[in-house]
Structures are given as structure tokens and as C-alpha cells.
Amino acid sequence: MILVIISIFVVLVWAKIEGGLRYNWRWHVIPNYIFRYDESQGRWMAGTLFNGLLTTIRICIYATVFAVILGTILGVARCSQTLVTRMLARTYVEVLRNVPPVVVIFIFFFFLSEQIISALNVEGWARGIARQENNGIWLFFFGDMRQFPSLVSGVMVLALFESAFIGEIIRAGIQSIPKGQTEAAQSLGMGTLDLLRFIILPQAIHKVLPPLASQFITLIKDSTIISLISVHDLTYSTVELVVSTHAIFEAWLSTAAMYFLLCFGMSLFFRRLEKRGP
């Protein structure tokens, strides 16, 4: 039934565009921006859109790893018995959850990411690797090394932003553990770190896997914002495609399809994991 409604909606929109705007569709230009044949090298190469998709995937994976690590620290801090620790963690979480994402992205980019990249000379180091001949492993994990600083910026700002939401998920998981288990472990002489490592966190992480999976999908959609700081992700690549070809509807519909397939694929994957259980 849902597919029928979506199909009817697509047909109505299509008819409106055809009849009202008299748009000249140019779908033939899109495949070359996904994959193209390079005659000089005699092989197929990834186009602008596909490279942007790969960059989005890389950024989302790396940002998720760092966001989970920082979010776990925030979640544990939110449940700390020390008031100062709890208040600092809560302040970080509340500020990021109640400030528009675009504002947060720009603040992190200009006041943190840019400073760290400049201080560590990441750009010079990355360009040195890009000039090397045997840089296949770097290309696989990070893509074009000339764009490595922008990738680092995207990972940092996304991880810092998403960690606030993951921290609240982890906090809820920790607080869902019965206090009796904590008291029993403490009565046996177990320290705080061992209590977190062997008792609380394993159970908490298992309980919050569904919301963590949902947050990962949300992170993929939130990653479109980092195109505003010139990160060459899928959204940024689409803007470049629109500027060069003026194929507005074709470019954005293709991009929407890519994001849908990526998010829907992740949704099916996590749903399968949930059914398998522990």
C-alpha cells in the first residue's frame, strides 16, 4: 500500500514538472558522473558522484567510531557520583542538543578543527603522501589525500556533534542496569573500572544497540551538513554536478536515491542483527 502511494506521488510530481515547468530532462549525463570510461588509461573510473558517496561512507564510519568512544565517556560521566563530572558532561550534551546543527558545525570547524589541522600541519603531510607513487593503502582508506584535511574536519565535527546524542543513549543503557548488580559487584571488592568493564557496559551496550543503530542512520543523513564546510562528500559533489551541467532534478534525484539505498541498506542490516540476538 505504501509503495502504491509513493508511486502515485511520484507520477503526480513528474506530471507537474512535465506540464508546468516544461523541464528538459537529461538523464544521459548522470551515468558519466557515477562511472566513466577513461580512454587514456583504458579502464572504468569512479565519477564525481560515486567518489562523493565513498567519501560520505568513509566519514560516517570514522565519525561513528569516534562518536561512540566519546559518547561512551559522556554516558559514563553522566552517571558519575562526582557532581562536577556530571555537570560538565550534562552541559556538553545539553548545549549540543539544543543548538542548531549548522551552527555547531561551523563553531567546531572554525574554532577547533581548523586550529588542530594547522597546528599539526596535516595539509602538508597529506600532500606529501599524495605525491608518492605507492599510496594505494592511503587511497583505499581515505580517498584523495589532497582532500584529507577536509575529511578530517568532517569526521571531527560530526563525531563531536553526534557524541552528545550517543552519550544520552549510553546513559539510558547504564541506568537501566539493576542497582543490585552494582551493589553485589562492589560487595565482592570489584573496583569502578572493572565494574564498568565487566558488568555494566557489556549489558548496557547490548540494550542500546537498536537506538545506536538508528543514530548511525541519522548520522548518515546529518553528514549532508558538512558540505557547508567544503567537505567533498556526496552532497558537495552533487552541487558541483548541478553547477557544471545544470541538470538540477536529475542530480538531486540521483543523490536522493543513493542516500536512500545507503540508509535503507543499513536499516535492513541492523534489523537482521537485532533478530539474531546475542
Side-chain angles (χ1 to χ4, degrees):
M1 183 63 183
I2 296 178
L3 291 177
V4 173
I5 296 174
I6 294 175
S7 300
I8 294 174
F9 176 75
V10 170
V11 171
L12 290 175
V13 172
W14 189 285
K16 182 67 175 177
I17 293 174
E18 286 288 332
L21 299 180
R22 299 188 183 279
Y23 185 75
N24 182 24
W25 294 95
R26 291 179 296 164
W27 284 104
H28 63 278
V29 304
I30 298 300
N32 287 330
Y33 286 88
I34 299 177
F35 284 103
R36 60 183 178 84
Y37 186 76
D38 191 331
E39 294 183 356
S40 62
Q41 299 188 25
R43 62 188 178 91
W44 287 91
M45 300 185 65
T48 302
L49 286 181
F50 192 76
N51 279 325
L53 177 63
L54 292 179
T55 300
T56 294
I57 293 174
R58 291 187 184 102
I59 288 175
C60 290
I61 291 175
Y62 301 147
T64 298
V65 172
F66 288 112
V68 169
I69 294 173
L70 182 55
T72 301
I73 296 173
L74 286 171
V76 172
R78 292 276 279 118
C79 300
S80 173
Q81 296 181 354
T82 304
L83 178 61
V84 175
T85 303
R86 289 202 312 272
M87 292 303 298
L88 288 174
R90 182 174 181 178
T91 301
Y92 180 90
V93 170
E94 293 297 335
V95 168
L96 264 67
R97 291 177 65 195
N98 293 284
V99 175
V102 175
V103 177
V104 174
I105 292 298
F106 279 117
I107 290 175
F108 279 142
F109 176 67
F110 289 111
F111 291 98
L112 182 61
S113 175
E114 279 277 283
Q115 306 303 320
I116 293 177
I117 289 175
S118 299
L120 298 179
N121 193 27
V122 172
E123 185 172 358
W125 171 78
R127 290 188 179 276
I129 293 179
R131 288 192 291 266
Q132 297 177 4
E133 295 183 358
N134 299 322
N135 60 353
I137 188 69
W138 296 98
L139 186 65
F140 176 78
F141 284 104
F142 303 110
D144 188 352
M145 289 302 295
R146 291 173 298 181
Q147 300 173 5
F148 181 76
S150 65
L151 183 140
V152 172
S153 297
V155 170
M156 288 181 61
V157 296
L158 269 183
L160 291 170
F161 176 69
E162 296 294 334
S163 64
F165 298 89
I166 293 178
E168 284 298 279
I169 293 173
I170 298 296
R171 177 195 60 78
I174 292 175
Q175 292 181 343
S176 68
I177 306 301
K179 292 185 178 180
Q181 295 189 26
T182 303
E183 295 172 353
Q186 289 175 340
S187 66
L188 294 174
M190 185 172 289
T192 303
L193 292 179
D194 289 338
L195 177 62
L196 287 171
R197 180 182 176 186
F198 296 109
I199 305 296
I200 296 178
L201 286 181
Q203 297 182 74
I205 294 296
H206 176 69
K207 288 186 175 184
V208 300
L209 275 180
L212 280 179
S214 177
Q215 191 61 39
F216 176 68
I217 296 174
T218 301
L219 186 148
I220 295 176
K221 293 182 288 186
D222 288 344
S223 68
T224 58
I225 304 175
I226 63 176
S227 63
L228 297 175
I229 56 175
S230 299
V231 178
H232 291 65
D233 67 333
L234 180 54
T235 302
Y236 187 91
S237 300
T238 305
V239 173
E240 289 186 328
L241 172 57
V242 170
V243 171
S244 61
T245 65
H246 300 287
I248 301 173
F249 288 105
E250 299 91 327
W252 286 112
L253 287 174
S254 300
T255 298
M258 289 183 179
Y259 275 116
F260 173 79
L261 291 175
L262 182 59
C263 294
F264 187 66
M266 288 292 98
S267 178
L268 293 178
F269 173 73
F270 289 126
R271 196 177 305 169
R272 196 177 190 88
L273 286 182
E274 291 176 24
K275 289 182 179 179
R276 291 181 60 181

